Amino acid sequence: MLNKDLLNALNEQMNHEYYAAHAYMAMAAYCDKESYEGFANFYIQQAKEERYHGKKIYDYINDRGEKAEFSALSAPTSEFTSILETFEDGLAQERDVTRRFYNLSDLANEAKDYATISFLNWFLDEQVEEEAMFETHIDYLKRIGDDCNTLYLYEKELAARSFDEE
Ligand SMILES: [Fe+2]
Ligand SMILES: [Fe+2]
């Protein structure tokens, strides 16, 4: 059993993880349309990771004897003006997710639900990595600027990225 507010917040976050996957797939579609296949692959892998996060929360809700509830996802941003803009939007999205997990942790602490506090710690660590990764890509892309050759090489590196569940 979970405290009702905590259950609602976990359900909301599970849905938000699937929304994040949705948003990254929209970024992949923009990259593919512009023939940046390496960046498209980066976002497709990122979307897989977000669905993995959603499933992790789904499993946790079930393990606690509750039922996961799915809701409609809003339409993500689909128009971008540059690859850099997709990464800046990605960073903003990750920062918002971090804030959400802080709020969830506050609720778990108020409920003195130590199992959920422990569960959420994994996500807090994960968010540090997610934000750092987007910040690094933004720095690289700014440094590369209009250098097409370097951008090409950088993209080839991202084309090899693949997400595997731990
Ligand atoms: Fe996530
Ligand atoms: Fe994420």
Side-chain angles (χ1 to χ4, degrees), residues 40-50 161-164:
N41 177 62
F42 170 85
Y43 285 118
I44 289 167
Q45 301 309 312
Q46 191 65 23
K48 271 193 205 168
E49 190 169 343
E50 300 302 348
R161 180 186 188 221
S162 76
F163 170 70
D164 294 310

Side-chain angles (χ1 to χ4, degrees), residues 24-77:
Y24 285 133
M25 285 308 294
M27 291 178 192
Y30 164 78
C31 296
D32 260 325
K33 176 81 171 47
E34 298 294 318
S35 299
Y36 285 114
E37 290 180 9
F39 290 112
N41 177 62
F42 170 85
Y43 285 118
I44 289 167
Q45 301 309 312
Q46 191 65 23
K48 271 193 205 168
E49 190 169 343
E50 300 302 348
R51 285 193 290 270
Y52 169 67
H53 294 166
K55 175 66 165 46
K56 216 174 163 70
I57 302 174
Y58 170 93
D59 286 338
Y60 183 73
I61 291 171
N62 282 306
D63 286 348
R64 293 296 303 268
E66 307 285 357
K67 181 165 162 283
E69 298 289 348
F70 288 84
S71 55
L73 304 179
S74 52
T77 304

